[in-house]
Amino acid sequence: MSPSFEKSGNELYEPLSLQRSFFTQSLTVVAFLLSAIALLPLLSLLSEIITQGIGQLRWEVLVSLPAPLGMKDVSNGFANAILGTLLMVFLACLFAVPLGIIAGICLAELGKNSIAANILRFSTVILSSVPSIIVGVFAYGILVLTTRKFSALAGGFALGVIMLPIIALTTEEALKLIPKEYRLASSALGASRFYTIFRTVLPAALPAVVTGILLAIARAAGETAPLLFTALSSQFWPPMLEKLGKLLQASESEAFFKTLQQLPATLVTPTPSMSVLIYSYAQSAFKEQNALAWTAALVLIGLVLITNILSRLVTNVHLKNR
Amino acid sequence: MSNITTSELNIGNRRGEQNWIENALTICVWGLAFAATTGILLWMSAIVFKDALPAIKAFGLSFLWSQTWNIGREEFGALPFIYGTLVTSLCALVLALAFGIAVAIVTSENFLPVWVRYPLAFLVELIASIPSVIVGLWGIFVLVPTIQPIQQGLYAHFKWLPPFSTEPLGFGLLAAIIILAVMILPTIAAISRDVLLALPQEMRSASMSLGATRWETIWRILLPAGCSGIVGAAILALGRALGETMAVTMVIGNSIQISPSLLAPGYTIPSVLATQFPEALEPLHVGSLMYLASILFAITLGMNLIAVSLVQAIARRASR
C-alpha cells in the first residue's frame, strides 16, 4: 500500500481536528446564547405587564371615567378609552372589511396571475408596509385639515387604511386554499361566476377570512401613532356613544329624531382611545396615572394577544381538517 | 391546491342579459379593489406632497441639511431628525441581524426537538404583535432603568470614545436602538427562518456526506444560499425601523440636536411628527412637518419596494 493511502485511511479514525470541533462547538454556544438573550425582552415585557398591571385591575377601572387629578375618593378608570377604541375599530371595519374582501377576491379568483392582479398585489403589499404614522399624516391631511377638527372619523379612517391590506392579503390566501372541485361542482350546477364566488367559495373560506379580519382588528386596536393627531384624546365618553345612549332613552318621537340628527356630528369630535391613553399616562408625572397605564396595557394586550392566538389556532385547525 | 380560478372556468356565458350583469359586476369589483389599494396609495402620496408644498417652496432642498428648528421664528431644517432616524435604525438593524439570524438558525435546524422549536418561533413572533406603545411603556419603566448603570459605566470608562462622550440621561439614542432592535427582531427571525426552511434538504445531506459538520454546513452552504432572502428580510426590517414611532418617541429623549454620542438624547422623523402635529397651527409649521413626512415616506417606500421585489423574486424562484 502506498503511504498516502495509509495516511488517509488513518484519518478516518481520527477525531475532528481541534480547530473544526472548536468552530462547531463555539458557534452552537453563541447561537443559543444570542437566542436566549433575544427572548429576554419578550419574557420581561410579558411578566412586567402582568405583575404591574394586575394590581390596579378592578371592575370600577373598566367602567368609570378618568378622575380629575388629585381627587382621592372618586372612582378612576378608562371606560371611555375602551369604548373609543371599539368605536374607531368598528368605523375602520365598516370601510376596510368589504373593500379588503373584494380586493382579496380580485387577487385570488378574478385574475390570479394577470397583470392587473399583479399590480393590485404589489400595491397591497406596499400599502401594508407604509409606516402607520404616514397613514396618520394622510388622514390628518384629508380630514383634520379640511374639517379643522380632530375626530373619531379621521381616526377610524386611518385604522381602516392600516387594516385593509392585511384583510386583502389574508383573504387571498384563504381563497387559494379552497379546492378547485368546489368551483367545478358549482359551475356544473349552472351557477354563474359571482354566484360561485359568493355562495360557494367565500362561505367555504369564511373561517380563514374571519381569522384575517381578527388579525387586522388586533393590529388596529393597538395602533397609536395615527390616532395621536387624528382622534386626539378626551376625558369624556365618546360623544357618539353618549348620543346613542340618549337615543335609547328618548321616549318622545320628537326627541328621538332630534338626537338622531345630531348623531353624525358627534363623529367629528376628539375621541379617546386605549393606546393614546397609555402613551399619555406613561409620560405623566403622577404615579397613579403611571400605574393605570400598566393596567390599560394589560387590558389592551389581553385583547390583542387573545385575538391573535385564537386566530392562529383557528387557522391551524382549519388547515389540519383539510 | 387549486389551479383553476372561477375566471378560467368561463362560466356565466349562457344568456346575454346575465353576461351583461356579470361584466358590469366584474368591472365594479376591479374598480373598487384598485380604488382601495392603488388609489389610496397614490392619494396618500399626493396629499402628503401637496400639504408639504408651502415648506418645499419656502426652504427648497436646503431643508435637508439645515439644522435649525425654531417654531417661533418659523425656521425649519430636517438634519437632526434625519440623523437620528438613520443612526437609530441602522444600529438597531446590525444588532437585530445578529440575534435574528441566531434565532432563525436555532428554530430551523435540528438542534432542538420540534415541540420546542415551534413554540419558540411562535414566542418570538409574538413580539411583533405587541402594540408599539406597550413596548414603549416597558422601555420607560424597565429598559431605561436597567441600562442606566451600564450607560454610566460606559461613560466613566470610555469617555474618550465619541459614541460614549456625553453624560447619560437614560433616555437617548442607545435606549431607542435597543428597543428598535427588539421590535424588528421578529421580522428578521421569521423571514430568515422561512428562507432556511425553504432550502432543499439535499443541500444539507450533500454537505454532511462530504464530511462537513453541522455548523460548517450552516456557515458555508446554507447562509450563503439563503443570503438574498436574508438581505430582503434586513431591508424590510430597516423599513419598519425607519417608520417605527411610539416606542422610539417614548425613550429617545426628544431633543433637537446632533451629537456623535449614543448616550445623548435625540429625535427621529416619526417622533417629531407624533409630538408636534397635535399642536401645529402655523401653515409653515404644518408644511414643514409634511415635508418631513414626505421624506420619510419616500425613504420607506424605496426600501419596501426593493425588499418586496427581492422577496417576491425569491418566492417565485422557489415555487418554480
Side-chain angles (χ1 to χ4, degrees):
Chain A
M1 288 290 157
S2 67
S4 67
F5 180 76
E6 218 155 66
K7 190 168 172 278
S8 67
N10 284 339
E11 227 171 35
L12 276 178
Y13 301 99
E14 274 173 20
L16 216 53
S17 77
L18 203 64
Q19 201 186 347
R20 286 178 69 194
S21 75
F22 177 74
F23 178 79
T24 292
Q25 301 296 338
S26 60
L27 274 186
T28 309
V29 172
V30 168
F32 274 84
L33 206 67
L34 290 184
S35 308
I37 295 174
L39 279 178
L40 269 183
L42 178 69
L43 298 178
S44 152
L45 234 169
L46 292 177
S47 70
E48 286 289 330
I49 290 166
I50 293 170
T51 53
Q52 304 259 15
I54 207 104
Q56 295 273 324
L57 190 63
R58 265 168 277 135
W59 179 245
E60 61 163 41
V61 167
L62 298 178
V63 293
S64 49
L65 284 176
L69 275 171
M71 303 263 283
K72 282 288 170 208
D73 302 320
V74 187
S75 58
N76 192 6
F78 44 76
N80 58 340
I82 299 179
L83 284 176
T85 293
L86 293 180
L87 172 68
M88 282 189 280
V89 169
F90 174 71
L91 287 176
C93 282
L94 282 186
F95 149 76
V97 168
L99 286 181
I101 291 180
I102 282 177
I105 289 174
C106 281
L107 290 175
E109 296 289 320
L110 294 182
K112 211 173 181 186
N113 283 319
S114 65
I115 297 170
N118 278 333
I119 296 172
L120 198 63
R121 187 173 299 118
F122 197 70
S123 45
T124 311
V125 172
I126 292 294
L127 191 64
S128 73
S129 58
V130 170
S132 61
I133 184 112
I134 300 287
V135 176
V137 169
F138 170 51
Y140 178 88
I142 56 170
L143 286 166
V144 178
L145 279 185
T146 49
T147 59
R148 289 267 148 216
K149 267 187 189 140
F150 296 104
S151 63
L153 203 63
F157 176 72
L159 294 185
V161 172
I162 291 168
M163 287 171 70
L164 188 108
I166 307 176
I167 296 177
L169 294 173
T170 46
T171 303
E172 185 199 359
E173 292 304 317
L175 293 179
K176 271 204 256 170
L177 292 175
I178 302 303
K180 70 177 174 202
E181 285 78 9
Y182 282 44
R183 297 178 179 87
L184 291 173
S186 172
S187 65
L189 290 172
S192 72
R193 183 200 289 178
F194 280 99
Y195 200 86
T196 305
I197 292 174
F198 285 109
R199 299 304 293 271
T200 310
V201 181
L202 205 54
L206 204 60
V209 172
V210 170
T211 303
I213 295 172
L214 283 179
L215 275 179
I217 288 176
R219 171 83 194 281
E223 279 294 347
T224 318
L227 296 182
L228 280 177
F229 43 88
T230 52
L232 212 66
S233 184
S234 90
Q235 294 287 304
F236 314 106
W237 295 108
M240 175 71 159
L241 297 161
E242 214 175 12
K243 283 275 186 261
L244 275 179
K246 281 201 182 131
L247 207 60
L248 292 175
Q249 289 165 5
S251 48
E252 308 155 50
S253 61
E254 199 182 333
F256 181 85
F257 283 115
K258 215 171 170 192
T259 334
L260 197 66
Q261 278 168 358
Q262 290 167 338
L263 217 49
T266 56
L267 281 180
V268 200
T269 46
T271 308
S273 59
M274 294 283 279
S275 47
V276 175
L277 179 114
I278 296 172
Y279 175 62
S280 53
Y281 276 14
Q283 296 181 321
S284 157
F286 297 92
K287 282 272 173 288
E288 59 264 48
Q289 291 202 329
N290 292 346
L292 264 190
W294 283 106
T295 314
L298 182 64
V299 174
L300 183 60
I301 214 167
L303 238 83
V304 169
L305 284 190
I306 289 170
T307 327
N308 233 306
I309 294 173
L310 262 186
S311 64
R312 277 174 203 234
L313 287 182
V314 169
T315 330
N316 282 348
V317 170
H318 189 62
L319 286 180
K320 263 180 207 152
N321 288 346
R322 198 158 285 291
Chain B
M1 284 294 276
S2 68
N3 297 318
I4 294 183
T5 64
T6 42
S7 63
E8 288 155 16
L9 288 176
N10 201 20
I11 40 189
N13 280 338
R14 295 173 316 276
R15 290 210 305 270
E17 49 182 327
Q18 202 173 1
N19 203 9
W20 178 83
I21 296 170
E22 285 279 298
N23 286 341
L25 208 58
T26 311
I27 291 169
C28 276
V29 165
W30 273 111
L32 278 176
F34 266 104
T37 58
T38 321
I40 282 184
L41 205 57
L42 294 176
W43 193 18
M44 199 184 297
S45 329
I47 287 285
V48 174
F49 182 74
K50 192 201 86 193
D51 287 335
L53 266 182
I56 295 176
K57 277 195 189 122
F59 305 115
L61 277 180
S62 71
F63 185 74
L64 292 176
W65 53 82
S66 164
Q67 289 192 33
T68 49
W69 186 272
N70 191 319
I71 300 168
R73 280 189 300 166
E74 301 216 320
E75 283 171 17
F76 300 103
L79 197 63
F81 311 111
I82 296 176
Y83 170 80
T85 310
L86 290 181
V87 166
T88 49
S89 309
L90 290 173
C91 293
L93 179 66
V94 172
L95 209 60
L97 261 182
F99 289 98
I101 293 177
V103 171
I105 291 172
V106 167
T107 51
S108 71
E109 303 307 310
N110 53 355
F111 292 102
L112 298 166
V114 172
W115 62 268
V116 181
R117 248 186 282 161
Y118 280 67
L120 204 65
F122 178 70
L123 212 60
V124 172
E125 278 180 50
L126 259 186
I127 302 182
S129 63
I130 292 176
S132 155
V133 70
I134 294 182
V135 181
L137 181 71
W138 173 80
I140 291 181
F141 293 107
V142 181
L143 178 69
V144 169
T146 314
I147 63 169
Q148 177 75 353
I150 303 169
Q151 289 183 317
Q152 294 284 8
L154 284 172
Y155 175 67
H157 297 102
F158 300 101
K159 225 181 291 191
W160 45 275
L161 275 174
F164 308 119
S165 59
T166 52
E167 184 99 41
L169 300 165
F171 293 89
L173 293 173
L174 188 66
I177 289 169
I178 295 175
I179 221 161
L180 271 180
V182 169
M183 297 187 73
I184 61 174
L185 188 121
T187 311
I188 295 180
I191 301 180
S192 307
R193 177 169 184 265
D194 287 345
V195 167
L196 291 179
L197 286 177
L199 294 176
Q201 202 57 43
E202 289 82 6
M203 237 170 173
R204 296 179 177 84
S205 315
S207 170
M208 295 277 204
S209 64
L210 287 173
T213 61
R214 176 151 58 189
W215 272 101
E216 282 162 351
T217 306
I218 294 172
W219 197 256
R220 306 232 168 89
I221 313 291
L222 300 183
L223 286 182
C227 183
S228 50
I230 294 171
V231 169
I235 299 173
L236 210 60
L238 186 59
R240 290 266 161 83
L242 289 169
E244 179 46 51
T245 312
M246 298 321 299
V248 174
T249 309
M250 290 162 92
V251 299
I252 199 170
N254 296 341
S255 146
I256 305 170
Q257 57 166 334
I258 298 179
S259 162
S261 169
L262 293 181
L263 305 181
Y267 227 141
T268 66
I269 297 179
S271 45
V272 73
L273 297 179
T275 51
Q276 295 201 354
F277 251 123
E279 282 126 40
L281 296 169
E282 307 297 327
L284 202 57
H285 188 198
V286 174
S288 300
L289 290 173
M290 287 284 184
Y291 198 171
L292 278 178
S294 55
I295 294 170
L296 179 70
F297 195 21
I299 298 174
T300 50
L301 214 58
M303 289 287 163
N304 287 323
L305 278 174
I306 299 171
V308 168
S309 22
L310 211 64
V311 170
Q312 276 188 355
I314 293 159
R316 220 171 294 139
R317 208 176 52 197
S319 68
R320 222 168 256 164

